[in-house]
Amino acid sequence: AGALLLARLVALRQALLSAGRRSRARLRWTGVTLAVLLLMVATTRPALLDDGNRQGETAAAGENLNVFLVVDQSTYSGVDDYGSGAPRIAGMRDDIAALIKQYPAARYALVGFASKASLDWPLSEDVWSLRPIVAALGSQNASPDANAGAADNVLRYQLIQATQQYPGSRNMVLYFGSGAPGSRAPQGDFNLMRGSVAGGAVLGYGRTDTIDESELHRIAAQLDV
């Protein structure tokens, strides 16, 4: 921004010194400068909105908190038994959105998994840009042989990295899934570094006859949440 403004001041000096066509030069300078200012406003808008939201809070809920969202995106999350016939992933989206609203000052990371896991959103405090990512979450057209513990390696690495990058911060893990009921694939374990998780929860989705609660309890014990 500083470099652009300096360049426009130099251009203004040249426009004022130009002979014969000052009026046209000034109009051209005004138009280009206005475009530059609009570009600056557009690129800083997310940060300005985020700062404004935080200033309006009595307390920065979630400050210095790293929240890891581990979301089951297997075919099990596409089963239509949430609410009045919506897919389970819709319930996960609603709960994640509510969580972000409650803790707007936290940093968030999103790990999606089915038979394998991937980091879909790196740890960041840019909740303004995270919201549309969450709103677009859906189940993958993958094999039904999901692995409820597939996110182990990705999550473990991200927790270690967060501890190093943000000393003194707390790591929270929120797991969203149904426990991969009926999957024929071997179910992995979460082997996280001791003390790397300060808290969190495992949220289960599905009717009592279509959810593996014992598997979810096992995952909660491994995550120590």
Side-chain angles (χ1 to χ4, degrees):
L4 288 172
L5 291 177
L6 179 61
R8 298 316 302 154
L9 290 176
V10 172
L12 175 61
R13 180 176 180 276
Q14 293 175 344
L16 293 175
L17 293 177
S18 62
R21 293 185 295 178
R22 289 187 178 181
S23 177
R24 185 177 178 182
R26 290 174 184 174
L27 287 175
R28 185 169 60 251
W29 179 90
T30 301
V32 174
T33 301
L34 180 60
V36 169
L37 291 175
L38 290 174
L39 179 62
M40 290 166 55
V41 170
T43 55
T44 57
R45 179 175 174 268
L48 292 174
L49 287 177
D50 190 50
D51 289 343
N53 290 336
R54 292 189 184 185
Q55 290 173 2
E57 297 169 2
T58 56
E63 188 173 4
N64 207 25
L65 185 68
N66 308 316
V67 180
F68 294 87
L69 308 169
V70 183
V71 182
D72 184 349
Q73 293 181 273
S74 69
T75 54
Y76 297 108
S77 295
V79 177
D80 298 326
D81 61 1
Y82 173 74
S84 56
R88 296 171 183 173
I89 194 71
M92 300 178 193
R93 290 195 300 261
D94 291 345
D95 291 338
I96 294 173
L99 181 72
I100 294 174
K101 184 177 181 180
Q102 186 172 357
Y103 300 102
R107 291 178 285 266
Y108 290 90
L110 177 62
V111 179
F113 72 92
S115 59
K116 297 180 180 180
S118 63
L119 180 63
D120 296 337
W121 182 263
L123 188 63
S124 169
E125 57 187 9
D126 183 10
V127 296
W128 187 84
S129 299
L130 174 61
R131 289 189 180 100
I133 302 297
V134 172
L137 279 176
S139 62
Q140 302 171 350
N141 293 323
S143 166
D145 295 329
N147 177 6
D152 173 50
N153 287 333
V154 176
L155 179 60
R156 180 169 61 251
Y157 176 77
Q158 292 301 314
L159 288 169
I160 294 173
Q161 189 176 42
T163 302
Q164 295 173 346
Q165 188 174 0
Y166 302 104
S169 63
R170 295 167 296 153
N171 295 326
M172 309 290 284
V173 175
L174 278 297
Y175 181 101
F176 304 80
S178 58
S183 175
R184 296 172 297 178
Q187 298 302 295
D189 298 324
F190 283 92
N191 299 294
L192 307 181
M193 188 172 65
R194 187 176 182 84
S196 60
V197 178
V202 169
L203 288 82
Y205 299 82
R207 299 190 305 267
T208 55
D209 59 338
T210 63
I211 186 173
D212 192 338
E213 292 191 25
S214 61
E215 178 65 16
L216 294 178
H217 281 291
R218 189 178 74 91
I219 292 173
Q222 293 172 355
L223 296 175
D224 194 23
V225 298

